[in-house]
Amino acid sequence: MTTPQPPGAHLPDHPDFLWRNPEPRRSYDVVIVGGGGHGLATAHYLARNHGITNVAVLERGWLAGGNMARNTTLIRSNYLWDASAAIYEHALKLWEGLEDDLGYPILFSQRGVLNLAHTEQDVRDSVRRVEANKLNGIDAEWLSPDEVAKVCPIVNVSGDIRYPVLGATYQPRAGIAKHDYVAWGFARRADEAGIDLIQDCEVTGFTVDGDRVTGLRTSRGDIGCGTVALCAAGHTSVLLDQLGVRAPLQSHPLQALVSELLEPVHPTIVMSNAVHVYVSQAHKGELVMGAGVDSYNGYGQRGAFHIIERQMAAAVELFPVFARAHLLRTWAGIVDVTPDASPIVGRTPYDNVYLNCGWGTGGFKATPGLGWCLADTIANGEPHPYVEPFGLDRFVTGALVDEHGAAAVAH
Amino acid sequence: MQLITCPWCGPREEVEFHYGGQAHLAYPDDPAALSDEEWAHFVFFRDNPKGPFAERWSHAAGCRRWFNAVRDTRTYEFLDVYPMGQSAPEVAS
């Protein structure tokens, strides 16, 4: 029998400084706007896979202080459509080796995800998604309510609740990771490769010459660029407005919350699209919960209380054991939502500007996969095959990747 | 939760309302003349400003009527509320 330890005792110590804090140089081959997970991962893979290190990552605030610090850290690849499955499964495979790649602990814990079904239509959709996942080589199973209770004993699978659990899809390889450590690991590796991570540097405009952007105006002076990659998540519209480019993005607050620390009670991840809550237990012991986005557009990094109230009602019905847990804190990230609930990655009307946005509520899980593919796109000047279906032009051609069903949260 | 002022019912709680997105979008005068790109912009592309935004709301759990509002997307504060068909008022941001 192992000796009981206080929650968090197995966590690594806080690190020393992991990156320099350089002054921006006059120009770079590649400038990445946005120092969150996607920007940092892109920087890392530019150096690691392509040897491109004359790179700056510009961050308006502090590194990974936006959505990267505000998300619920779920990682899975059980998406319905082939295009989505490909990029998220690519990411999941990278997650599985990321700790070794970064030489840094990220506390990736493959504890599996249950996506609950509560209606006959949910059941049909879920079984279809399981079969689609299997065809794409993704681990997926359909579980009966009794099997759900074996995976996660605290889920209420009785038939007398308002929306009984009729079963669930299960992806055993899904998991969570420690979001800050993920960002720090990428930042450390990028910095070691000579990439400048420049914080407190807001992009206020662009210098344009014909079809090319030649420089960025920032709160820390003008910076010339060979290639620009926009990785600003919910604030991408603000940047695109400065470039005179429109994209079908709407920014919404997406709230999340944590309970006080509890003993280990919740061994997996449970998501429910129908009653609308998703829950995992963080390494330290907080229950981490999220629901859908607030309906209105917003940049305020907070949301309405009634959203939390509904989410709590759903959580307590599904998990009666949570009824006495105290809410510790709530927050919101600003997510950029697209009409087909899928990201926009690839070309813009400017030859040397690449777009990465529209991940909505699902950006964290894609972090290494997107970084890998966007770095490849920048290095080769052609969209990587995994991001090619997610071009901005799909809204004109009609080749949408309508992923509302598998996003698992209401967009 | 904040109070939203319905032009017909007065201040009511936010939960009574339904959000309708950007206001003042007109169906094309000559639909057949639009290119694919213009259709895409009509169907999918909306403004997404950080600041005052003219948008539609419906008092779904009250009088069930639609109205327009200018709301600051940074603070969520309603700067003005006005009937459908009226042009957007100038508001201080």
Side-chain angles (χ1 to χ4, degrees):
Chain A
M1 197 173 157
T2 53
T3 314
Q5 289 194 314
H10 59 295
L11 296 178
D13 290 335
H14 275 282
D16 293 329
F17 288 105
L18 295 173
W19 54 85
R20 298 163 293 128
N21 214 4
E23 285 298 311
R25 300 208 296 271
R26 289 179 61 89
S27 75
Y28 294 89
D29 291 343
V30 180
V31 176
I32 297 168
V33 183
H38 284 202
L40 293 169
T42 304
H44 167 65
Y45 290 114
L46 274 173
R48 179 189 183 279
N49 293 356
H50 305 284
I52 298 173
T53 57
N54 185 12
V55 177
V57 179
L58 310 184
E59 167 54 45
R60 182 175 63 119
W62 58 92
L63 280 189
N67 289 357
M68 192 65 174
R70 294 165 186 276
N71 73 83
T72 49
T73 79
L74 306 186
I75 296 161
R76 60 190 174 87
S77 64
N78 56 351
Y79 278 66
L80 176 64
W81 299 112
D82 292 351
S84 314
I87 181 79
Y88 287 112
E89 177 61 15
H90 177 53
L92 181 47
K93 285 182 177 144
L94 289 171
W95 280 112
E96 287 173 328
L98 196 57
E99 199 155 288
D100 288 341
D101 181 15
L102 298 179
Y104 196 77
I106 60 165
L107 303 183
F108 181 47
S109 164
Q110 288 180 287
R111 54 183 65 182
V113 62
L114 293 164
N115 288 78
L116 304 181
H118 299 274
T119 66
E120 291 297 333
Q121 188 59 44
D122 270 356
V123 172
R124 285 188 287 269
D125 290 344
S126 300
V127 172
R128 178 191 179 201
R129 184 156 47 79
V130 164
E131 297 304 328
N133 289 161
K134 286 180 182 168
L135 287 171
N136 278 315
I138 292 169
D139 56 322
E141 298 167 43
W142 169 254
L143 303 187
S144 68
D146 288 346
E147 291 169 322
V148 169
K150 282 190 190 119
V151 174
C152 189
I154 57 172
V155 176
N156 183 359
V157 293
S158 73
D160 60 358
I161 60 174
R162 189 175 179 198
Y163 297 105
V165 175
L166 302 183
T169 68
Y170 184 49
Q171 183 181 21
R173 286 165 62 241
I176 60 172
K178 187 86 173 152
H179 50 101
D180 290 332
Y181 294 170
V182 174
W184 298 342
F186 276 120
R188 174 169 164 267
R189 272 286 190 251
D191 179 83
E192 280 174 358
I195 289 172
D196 284 355
L197 310 177
I198 302 167
Q199 305 178 78
D200 195 21
C201 182
E202 182 172 8
V203 172
T204 56
F206 296 88
T207 316
V208 173
D209 182 10
D211 290 339
R212 296 182 69 80
V213 167
T214 55
L216 301 91
R217 286 194 281 277
T218 82
S219 56
R220 296 183 66 176
D222 292 353
I223 299 173
C225 58
T227 300
V228 179
L230 304 180
C231 295
H235 281 73
T236 300
S237 293
V238 178
L239 290 170
L240 289 179
D241 285 347
Q242 293 163 2
L243 273 171
V245 173
R246 287 192 95 198
L249 297 170
Q250 297 284 284
S251 295
H252 291 262
L254 173 63
Q255 299 192 72
L257 54 90
V258 293
S259 73
E260 62 194 320
L261 304 185
L262 302 176
E263 289 176 30
V265 291
H266 185 14
T268 184
I269 303 159
V270 172
M271 313 184 70
S272 167
N273 209 353
V275 303
H276 226 133
V277 68
Y278 48 94
V279 190
S280 66
Q281 188 166 17
H283 297 84
K284 274 193 298 184
E286 307 103 318
L287 298 169
V288 184
M289 300 193 205
V293 300
D294 284 41
S295 67
Y296 45 74
N297 290 30
Y299 288 90
Q301 295 188 322
R302 63 182 178 82
F305 192 74
H306 68 266
I307 302 288
I308 295 170
E309 212 171 7
R310 285 178 197 158
Q311 175 186 342
M312 292 295 89
V316 171
E317 181 154 303
L318 279 179
F319 302 94
V321 69
F322 293 174
R324 288 171 185 271
H326 291 100
L327 179 64
L328 198 65
R329 62 182 181 275
T330 74
W331 66 90
I334 303 306
V335 298
D336 46 341
V337 171
T338 62
D340 63 352
S342 294
I344 303 172
V345 186
R347 300 182 193 287
T348 68
Y350 292 94
D351 278 349
N352 61 335
V353 179
Y354 294 100
L355 192 53
N356 168 52
C357 59
W359 290 90
T361 60
F364 178 76
K365 70 175 77 70
T367 300
L370 178 280
W372 180 290
C373 294
L374 188 58
D376 183 273
T377 300
I378 292 165
N380 296 315
E382 287 288 328
H384 184 282
Y386 286 156
V387 296
E388 198 275 334
F390 297 105
L392 183 57
D393 60 352
R394 75 178 185 270
F395 297 97
V396 175
T397 64
L400 303 179
V401 187
D402 191 4
E403 203 53 88
H404 285 89
V409 289
H411 279 78
Chain B
M1 195 178 303
Q2 67 172 329
L3 292 176
I4 298 174
T5 304
C6 169
W8 294 280
C9 307
R12 294 290 188 276
E13 288 191 346
E14 184 180 344
V15 286
E16 295 189 13
F17 293 85
H18 175 79
Y19 183 61
Q22 185 176 356
H24 308 296
L25 295 168
Y27 191 78
D29 287 335
D30 184 5
L34 262 57
S35 66
D36 287 353
E37 189 160 4
E38 288 166 331
W39 268 119
H41 280 260
F42 174 70
V43 174
F44 294 124
F45 288 58
R46 299 288 179 267
D47 293 343
N48 188 26
K50 188 175 184 179
F53 187 35
E55 55 195 17
R56 300 173 302 183
W57 287 80
S58 148
H59 190 190
C63 64
R64 304 182 63 193
R65 294 171 79 176
W66 286 89
F67 60 94
N68 288 334
V70 177
R71 188 180 56 92
D72 192 318
T73 61
R74 294 165 297 192
T75 62
Y76 311 154
E77 180 189 0
F78 282 74
L79 304 174
D80 207 342
V81 168
Y82 55 101
M84 304 292 282
Q86 188 175 307
S87 56
E90 288 288 323
V91 292
S93 61

